[in-house]
Amino acid sequence: MSTPPSTSAQSQPAAAETYDVVVVGAGFAGLYMLHKLRGQGFSVRVYEQGGDVGGTWYWNRYPGARCDVESMQYSYSFSDELQQEWDWSERYAPQPEILKYANHVADRFNLRSDIAFDTRVDRAEFDESANSWAVTTSDDRSVTAKYVVLATGCLSNARMPDIRGLSGFKGKVYHTGNWPHEPIDFTGQRVGVIGTGSSAIQSVPIIAEEAEHLTVFQRTANFSIPARNAALTAEEREAFRQKYSEIRRFAREEARNGIYTEMPDRGALEDGENERRSKYEARWSRGGLTFMSVYNNLAIDKAANDTAADFVRAKIAETVKDPQTAKLLQPNNHPIGSKRICIDSDYFATFNRPNVTLVDIRSNPIEQILPNAVRAGGKDYEVDALVLATGFDAMTGSVAKIDIRGRNGQTLNQKWAEGPKTYLGLMSAGFPNLFIITGPGSPSVLSNMIVSIEQHVDWIADCVGWMRDHGLEVLEAEQGAEDKWVAHVNEVAHTTLYPQANSWYMGANIPGKPQIFMPYIGGVGVYRQICNDVAAKGYEGFVMTAAQQPQKMAAS
Ligand code: NAP
């Protein structure tokens, strides 16, 4: 290991431009990775393409953006002082507050000095003779590092839709995933929103309040549960803090999705209709993502799932006054939860407003964008501004943008041409000393992301510490272990209803992207145990090499 630069030297590259670890991205994953590795005495350089910290919360500044996991849980647990001292203002904090929190963490732990902002990593190439990575950045600089950690995020690569005429539109075009930093005022404008996923569902009610007229172009109706957002009182925060250690333990070890809630003890069909309805009502009134935790078989049994889906469809019909609009808003082509469930504040009720129109572009697809209108089904909808809430090239998109070359010059994009292949979602065979935080093949987007980020960061930090302690230089996933893991991830996914939806989990939102269920659905507790067991067995399934001679570590 190279000697970590002293604190005073950290603001400038080490003399030899050599680091123990290069981390790509300064979102929640990159920030904690830096903090953790630096605490272990490693020299670390973080590159961040944005102008500041925060990752997804730096880019997603659209109106109404807020977290869909309660903030007391969507927050770091690694520092008890931090979790005891930070005051979240609302049940689901709005984007500016989450960004403020990321900035607070960066300052509190003095992280900025090791982060280069406005700097993209363009290329990373493994040098087999030196056992190190050569990393080239967008400012044409090159550094070397023993390890590279991709903390690039799962939903950070906003995707522009390929719609004819879009570039000729005369008004302003905004993408929810890459929103301007200054506030946008839609007052007096005719606005078109394309897409009806989480980002649209959060922004539509706010834009509708401002715009003269809002037209929402919907290809697929989505299930959405009321957030029931509210200000947090000091008493509520305090009650949470008193229980924090148990809440965090439960989220890590027992909850499948990393969220503390009551666990269901039965399937939906084990209750009679009245009992079932009252349980759904109770969760609907409480609001939030844990609606899907009413029963333990909603993700695996279609008949059970139908009971929850019917309940939500009935709620939509109750809320939306125009029966035709209500029918269009009722999802009917995928099981509830098989696409990421949305959490809203008055989304469905917004369609009762006289200044809001829903356009069904499944039956009448968008033909083209004209300079002042969207043409769909032969009709022109005049708009002054367009909001594209069309999502992301999820899970692999940001990694794919970097030219990553492993052994024998193979690129990661070549290796993943038919879908991402990893061992534990952490590494890919042929790409030594390259870690991915919340990579495909790990629970990642199916969980409270911060729980999964912390687990990966801790595991990676332990791993590289262990390598240093054992005089080892190179760590690489074994091909056989990777093949088995990929098969396992796939097998578990196909015991559920998830693959029945054309979701971004499957890569289905990107034309030509291989359709493979990318996250690991076994649950964060089970997954954590698997990762811990692998480490306890001397990093079973990984090949390790000492400075000179290759050796396979025997399981201890
Ligand atoms: P998304 O879920 O992928 O939704 C994109 C929407 O755009 C879909 O309705 C999609 O229709 C539509 N679309 C895409 N391309 C189109 C085209 N060419 N023409 C017409 N419609 C098109 O993206 P998102 O809403 O940005 O959310 C992505 C994920 O980010 C979420 O699932 C969630 O995990 C995360 N997120 C979280 C929060 C939160 O924490 N509250 C907020 C926002 C996002 P189809 O469904 O037919 O493809």
Side-chain angles (χ1 to χ4, degrees), residues 57 60 62 66-69 155 159 161-163 175-176 194-202 217-220 222 339-341 343 361-362 366 389-392 445 502 504-505 508-509:
W57 300 105
N60 283 264
Y62 58 85
R66 59 178 75 242
C67 193
D68 60 2
V69 174
L155 293 159
R159 184 183 150 260
D162 187 13
I163 304 177
H175 194 295
T176 47
I194 300 180
T196 48
S198 300
S199 303
I201 281 177
Q202 287 186 331
F217 297 90
Q218 171 185 278
R219 192 163 67 182
T220 307
N222 261 307
K339 281 186 161 206
R340 169 79 167 206
I341 203 156
I343 302 301
I361 54 167
R362 180 163 293 274
I366 296 179
T390 46
F392 303 86
V445 290
N502 287 327
W504 57 258
Y505 295 139
N509 63 328

Side-chain angles (χ1 to χ4, degrees), residues 364-385:
N364 298 300
I366 296 179
E367 293 148 36
Q368 73 177 105
I369 310 270
L370 305 169
N372 64 341
V374 177
R375 178 170 294 169
K379 199 170 163 195
D380 293 349
Y381 299 88
E382 291 197 1
V383 288
D384 306 308

Side-chain angles (χ1 to χ4, degrees), residues 152-451:
T152 40
C154 296
L155 293 159
S156 46
N157 193 16
R159 184 183 150 260
M160 291 298 279
D162 187 13
I163 304 177
R164 190 155 72 96
L166 182 56
S167 59
F169 182 68
K170 285 268 168 34
K172 292 267 191 213
V173 178
Y174 305 97
H175 194 295
T176 47
N178 191 3
W179 198 263
H181 286 206
E182 63 281 1
I184 305 299
D185 185 0
F186 290 113
T187 306
Q189 295 193 36
R190 295 165 303 173
V191 181
V193 172
I194 300 180
T196 48
S198 300
S199 303
I201 281 177
Q202 287 186 331
S203 55
V204 156
I206 313 279
I207 297 174
E209 280 174 14
E210 269 177 27
E212 180 188 308
H213 195 90
L214 171 62
T215 309
V216 179
F217 297 90
Q218 171 185 278
R219 192 163 67 182
T220 307
N222 261 307
F223 290 99
S224 188
I225 309 295
R228 312 276 182 220
N229 188 37
L232 278 175
T233 62
E235 292 71 33
E236 283 167 332
R237 279 194 296 264
E238 191 45 37
F240 216 93
R241 284 176 178 143
Q242 299 268 330
K243 288 195 292 183
Y244 241 144
S245 59
E246 170 54 15
I247 287 169
R248 300 300 201 183
R249 185 205 63 76
F250 185 96
R252 289 186 197 113
E253 294 172 13
E254 290 189 43
R256 291 179 68 83
N257 60 4
I259 299 174
Y260 176 80
T261 190
E262 305 95 311
M263 296 293 266
D265 62 352
R266 59 179 59 209
L269 305 179
E270 289 174 60
D271 277 339
E273 208 177 320
N274 290 344
E275 177 66 8
R276 205 164 43 227
R277 163 160 277 277
S278 80
K279 284 186 183 168
Y280 286 141
E281 282 288 357
R283 288 279 181 150
W284 182 266
S285 306
R286 194 195 306 174
L289 281 180
T290 62
F291 180 82
M292 291 303 289
S293 304
V294 177
Y295 291 111
N296 60 19
N297 59 350
L298 297 182
I300 51 176
D301 180 332
K302 181 65 169 53
N305 185 284
D306 284 345
T307 65
D310 286 345
F311 176 87
V312 175
R313 282 190 282 261
K315 286 289 182 195
I316 297 170
E318 265 172 40
T319 310
V320 179
K321 291 189 184 129
D322 172 46
Q324 213 183 337
T325 306
K327 194 155 177 46
L328 278 177
L329 287 167
Q330 288 173 320
N332 57 19
N333 71 351
H334 59 281
I336 184 169
S338 61
K339 281 186 161 206
R340 169 79 167 206
I341 203 156
C342 303
I343 302 301
D344 72 277
S345 296
D346 297 328
Y347 175 66
F348 295 115
T350 297
F351 292 90
N352 294 331
R353 294 177 65 107
N355 69 333
V356 177
T357 309
L358 181 68
V359 176
D360 171 19
I361 54 167
R362 180 163 293 274
S363 342
N364 298 300
I366 296 179
E367 293 148 36
Q368 73 177 105
I369 310 270
L370 305 169
N372 64 341
V374 177
R375 178 170 294 169
K379 199 170 163 195
D380 293 349
Y381 299 88
E382 291 197 1
V383 288
D384 306 308
L386 267 180
V387 173
L388 306 173
T390 46
F392 303 86
D393 184 355
M395 303 206 71
T396 55
S398 295
V399 174
K401 274 187 167 170
I402 308 170
D403 182 7
I404 299 171
R405 288 165 192 261
R407 290 205 188 279
N408 306 313
Q410 186 189 32
T411 69
L412 196 61
N413 286 335
Q414 285 164 344
K415 182 172 172 195
W416 288 8
E418 285 165 16
K421 295 186 176 66
T422 67
Y423 179 39
L424 301 173
L426 278 160
M427 290 192 114
S428 195
F431 296 83
N433 290 2
L434 176 81
F435 294 98
I436 313 164
I437 299 181
T438 63
S442 72
S444 60
V445 290
L446 295 176
S447 68
N448 175 352
M449 283 302 288
I450 306 229
V451 170

